[in-house]
Amino acid sequence: MLKRSLLTASFVLVLCVPWLCAQTPSVTRESLPGVTNFAKLDTTIACAGATTPAAVAGLKQMGYASIINLREATEAGADIDAETAAAKTAGITFIHLPFNTASPNPAVVDSFLKAVTDPRNHPAFVHCASGNRAAAMWMIKRMQVDRWDAERAGAEAAALGLTNGALKTFALDYAAAHK
């Protein structure tokens, strides 16, 4: 009986482990001139840091349908107008959702969730200055929309570039307040 149970358990593991592994998207690093900290998921998203307007055409060539920029216009190096113009020229949807790390606004998260879940925006390229805000927003999406637990969403966000403890806490608090 024990031998049969072990055989059944082994059979289940052989069948289920590859399936479970396939259910967890993996993060890969990409390289594109003009984009820092480019991390791509096997799904419909990529998160990155500072992105120059010159990189927009390359993002379009990579197949991205939209750019969601979380930078504030007042940030050093954030040229929102030039990036908007580059997106228009490339034929890629540009969504600007300024998100302040020091004073995060839940309304911006609401707008982000609406934009990132709209199939017309897939695949989406989300960026800020370092990748922290982009990864934190994706963490919230995973918890709110995909119903991932905080540990799994946090691990993926860390792989995408979330290193800011305050943003992680904000993401967890937002998810808890919006159950």
Side-chain angles (χ1 to χ4, degrees):
M1 182 71 171
L2 179 61
K3 192 173 186 180
R4 186 175 176 178
S5 294
L6 287 173
L7 184 60
T8 301
S10 297
F11 182 72
V12 169
L13 284 173
V14 167
L15 289 178
C16 293
V17 169
W19 179 82
L20 287 172
C21 290
Q23 301 309 306
T24 303
S26 62
V27 174
T28 57
R29 296 290 170 181
E30 296 285 332
S31 179
L32 180 67
V35 178
T36 60
N37 300 329
F38 194 156
K40 179 181 174 183
L41 282 175
D42 292 340
T43 60
T44 59
I45 193 85
C47 295
T51 301
T52 64
V56 171
L59 293 170
K60 177 66 175 182
Q61 288 177 341
M62 293 176 88
Y64 291 97
S66 68
I67 295 172
I68 302 173
N69 183 333
L70 301 172
R71 298 185 78 183
E72 294 183 291
T74 56
E75 291 178 37
D79 192 345
I80 306 304
D81 292 337
E83 190 173 347
T84 301
K88 184 175 182 177
T89 299
I92 189 169
T93 301
F94 183 79
I95 302 163
H96 183 221
L97 301 172
F99 187 68
N100 185 311
T101 302
S103 180
N105 182 347
V108 176
V109 178
D110 298 339
S111 296
F112 173 80
L113 292 174
K114 184 176 179 181
V116 82
T117 57
D118 184 337
R120 295 174 294 180
N121 294 328
H122 294 177
F125 176 83
V126 183
H127 80 93
C128 55
S130 67
N132 269 291
R133 287 173 282 184
M137 292 291 234
W138 186 249
M139 179 179 172
I140 293 169
K141 187 269 188 189
R142 285 298 203 189
M143 292 185 292
Q144 291 302 115
V145 176
D146 301 332
R147 301 294 181 210
W148 283 20
D149 63 59
E151 185 176 334
R152 183 177 177 197
E156 183 178 76
L160 287 169
L162 180 59
T163 59
N164 183 310
L167 280 175
K168 183 175 182 179
T169 298
F170 171 78
L172 293 169
D173 291 347
Y174 179 94
H178 292 83
K179 282 188 175 187

